[in-house]
Amino acid sequence: QVQLVESGGGLVQAGGSLRLSCAAYRRTISNYAMGWFRQAPGKEREFVAAINWSGGNTYYADSVKGRFTISRDNAKNTVYLQMNSLKPEDTAVYYCAADRTLGTPVREVGKYGYWGQGTQVTVSS
């Protein structure tokens, strides 16, 4: 079982930046695709970004493309989400997820078998 723990959330003004981290425990995630998802109040959980096992391929939702960057450090068993130019509509609980695959990461929530507890990101206008 992979245990995922997110950190780095907080309150930031519009236009600001935050860096989220997702640390994995109990197992190495070097053979897992990793994703970031978010869920705003009253809305479904949605895909934000994903990265393949090596870090060589990344994928983004259109709403964050050009503003967010996903990366990973397999030596540290950690995945990151750098969020720049934040907007009030980015306010949500952000979740890290792991999918044991060496293939292309997917955007579907149901394909990820392991999830963190989430970290709150609030962007004020």
Side-chain angles (χ1 to χ4, degrees), residues 1-74:
Q1 295 282 346
V2 175
Q3 182 182 5
L4 303 173
V5 179
E6 302 97 334
S7 61
L11 173 64
V12 64
Q13 288 188 332
S17 298
L18 282 174
R19 189 194 195 201
L20 305 184
S21 297
C22 171
Y25 300 92
R26 298 183 182 170
R27 283 197 174 182
T28 177
I29 57 169
S30 59
N31 56 347
Y32 286 72
M34 300 297 295
W36 284 98
F37 293 77
R38 66 187 181 187
Q39 189 167 16
K43 294 188 176 181
E44 293 187 352
R45 193 169 297 188
E46 65 175 4
F47 171 80
V48 174
I51 189 167
N52 76 329
W53 67 276
S54 68
N57 292 294
T58 56
Y59 307 85
Y60 298 94
D62 289 343
S63 59
V64 307
K65 201 171 294 182
R67 300 188 298 122
F68 291 11
T69 302
I70 188 172
S71 61
R72 65 191 299 161
D73 185 339
N74 285 342

Side-chain angles (χ1 to χ4, degrees), residues 9 13 21 37 43 50 58 63 67 81 85 88 101-102 104 114 119-120 123:
Q13 288 188 332
S21 297
F37 293 77
K43 294 188 176 181
T58 56
S63 59
R67 300 188 298 122
L81 185 68
S85 302
T101 178
L102 297 178
T104 300
Y114 304 96
T119 185
Q120 176 71 46
V123 184

